[in-house]
């Protein structure tokens, strides 16, 4: 009698295609009241920008109405929006910071 070798369990590899996580733009909106230097300070403090880059973005927001200050995964973007909004409120400035899905 020949001993039968038990059949090996077959584990098929499944190709699971997971999408890379979405990225979000953090956007500053212009208003008529928040001082320019405060916006520059926010950009330096919360987005780790040099004074020159922060000034460039502030002026873009001032002239065009809005500007992207950074692109992050959802939870990081949400935290930036929360921290910037809270800081602006503390200082009684109406500065608005929002996030939007980055389509690319
Ligand atoms: N428009 C503001 C002013 O003239 C400056 C400003 C820039 C405000 C960017 C908000 O997100 C902003 N003082």
């Amino acid at each position: 009698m020949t001993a039968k070798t038990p059949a090996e369990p077959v584990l098929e590899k499944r190709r699971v295609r997971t999408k890379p996580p979405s990225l979000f733009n953090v956007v500053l909106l212009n208003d008529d009241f928040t001082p320019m230097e405060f916006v520059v300070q926010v950009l330096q403090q919360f987005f780790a920008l040099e004074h020159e880059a922060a000034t460039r973005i502030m002026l873009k927001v001032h002239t065009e109405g809005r500007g992207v200050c950074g692109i992050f995964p959802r939870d990081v973007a949400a935290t930036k929006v929360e921290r910037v909004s809270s800081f602006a409120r503390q200082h009684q400035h109406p500065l608005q910071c929002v996030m939007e899905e980055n389509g690319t």
Side-chain angles (χ1 to χ4, degrees):
M1 205 163 72
T2 54
K4 270 200 186 146
T5 326
E8 293 275 327
V10 178
L11 293 180
E12 282 179 23
K13 269 193 197 158
R14 286 199 181 276
R15 279 180 87 67
V16 180
R17 294 220 165 268
T18 45
K19 283 187 282 169
S22 307
L23 291 174
F24 289 77
N25 299 336
V26 174
V27 177
L28 276 186
L29 306 180
N30 189 36
D31 66 72
D32 292 338
F33 304 103
T34 306
M36 290 184 172
E37 260 320 308
F38 182 81
V39 179
V40 171
Q41 185 197 344
V42 162
L43 287 164
Q44 290 195 256
Q45 195 165 317
F46 294 96
F47 299 92
L49 295 168
E50 301 286 3
H51 191 269
E52 199 180 315
T55 303
R56 204 178 316 121
I57 293 177
M58 181 280 294
L59 286 173
K60 184 182 170 69
V61 176
H62 176 70
T63 55
E64 295 178 16
R66 47 174 280 145
V68 176
C69 27
I71 302 171
F72 308 96
R74 184 194 298 272
D75 54 342
V76 179
T79 302
K80 301 271 183 207
V81 167
E82 199 39 62
R83 291 189 178 163
V84 168
S85 304
S86 155
F87 187 67
R89 245 184 338 261
Q90 264 177 52
H91 291 267
Q92 297 176 323
H93 295 310
L95 180 64
Q96 295 287 305
C97 183
V98 299
M99 62 193 267
E100 62 183 24
E101 193 159 1
N102 175 305
T104 66

